[in-house]
Amino acid sequence: MSALPALRATTLKNAQQERTTSMHLARVPLLPIIIALIAVSCSSSKQEKAQTEGSEGSVSSKHTPEVIPPNACRIVATIVEVDSSLKGTSEKDPCSKAPCNATVRIDSVLGYGSAFPKPIGEGSVLRVRFALTLAATDKLSPDIKPALPGLRRGERFKADLTAMPTMGSSEPSYTIQTYHVQQ
């Protein structure tokens, strides 16, 4: 039975040592530790900034992806065929003055906006309406800024393709508002 009081004494001594140790840890000033962590964090961001400097000494901005509008798909495509018929609804409609419809081949899909109805594969061939025509807009509609250069068969372009549901068809109707000619 003499072992029991010795065990209690050892347990009590260990508990007192743990309290003393935890009290010493609680007394460690946290402010210098926090300041040191902030200083290390700031110096690492300076190093990142130095690494992004270009050869001219200017800081290059990090690439931020362009936002794709809802119900649109950003594509690079090639004009396969231009429908030369004029299908404007009025004299003011640009499609009554120049062709607006073409068949395009999708060369690459750069991304989708939210709610785009159906994925498009590379190599797909689609019938597309160009809202501002396939002709150059500088003379046709001088109020369009920046002026569009026009597109012909075989030319590549980058554009946002919008898709709208079509009554009585499972395929949406595709429209392009503006585009950029690719080399």
Side-chain angles (χ1 to χ4, degrees), residues 1 10 20 33 37 69 91 101 104 109 112 129 140 146 156 165:
M1 294 241 204
T10 305
T20 306
I33 294 172
L37 288 173
E91 284 183 22
N101 296 309
V104 302
V109 176
Y112 293 95
R129 181 177 189 278
L140 185 66
R156 282 177 50 115

Side-chain angles (χ1 to χ4, degrees), residues 100-104 126-130 134 161 174-176:
C100 286
N101 296 309
T103 303
V104 302
L126 305 173
R127 186 103 171 113
V128 177
R129 181 177 189 278
F130 287 78
L134 288 154
L161 178 74
Y174 297 106
T175 305
I176 291 176

Side-chain angles (χ1 to χ4, degrees), residues 42-72:
C42 290
S43 67
S44 68
S45 66
K46 286 180 185 176
Q47 290 170 353
E48 289 174 8
K49 186 176 179 181
Q51 289 174 354
T52 60
E53 285 190 16
S55 59
E56 297 94 32
S58 63
V59 177
S60 62
S61 64
K62 291 188 177 189
H63 176 71
T64 54
E66 296 177 26
V67 176
I68 300 173
N71 211 26

Side-chain angles (χ1 to χ4, degrees), residues 92-151:
K92 293 182 181 181
D93 186 353
C95 295
S96 65
K97 300 173 187 172
C100 286
N101 296 309
T103 303
V104 302
R105 181 186 64 244
I106 307 300
D107 298 330
S108 63
V109 176
L110 305 176
Y112 293 95
S114 64
F116 193 79
K118 182 177 173 181
I120 299 173
E122 292 181 10
S124 296
V125 177
L126 305 173
R127 186 103 171 113
V128 177
R129 181 177 189 278
F130 287 78
L132 300 175
T133 80
L134 288 154
T137 60
D138 55 352
K139 293 177 185 167
L140 185 66
S141 300
D143 55 322
I144 296 174
K145 301 291 182 209
L148 299 172
L151 291 170

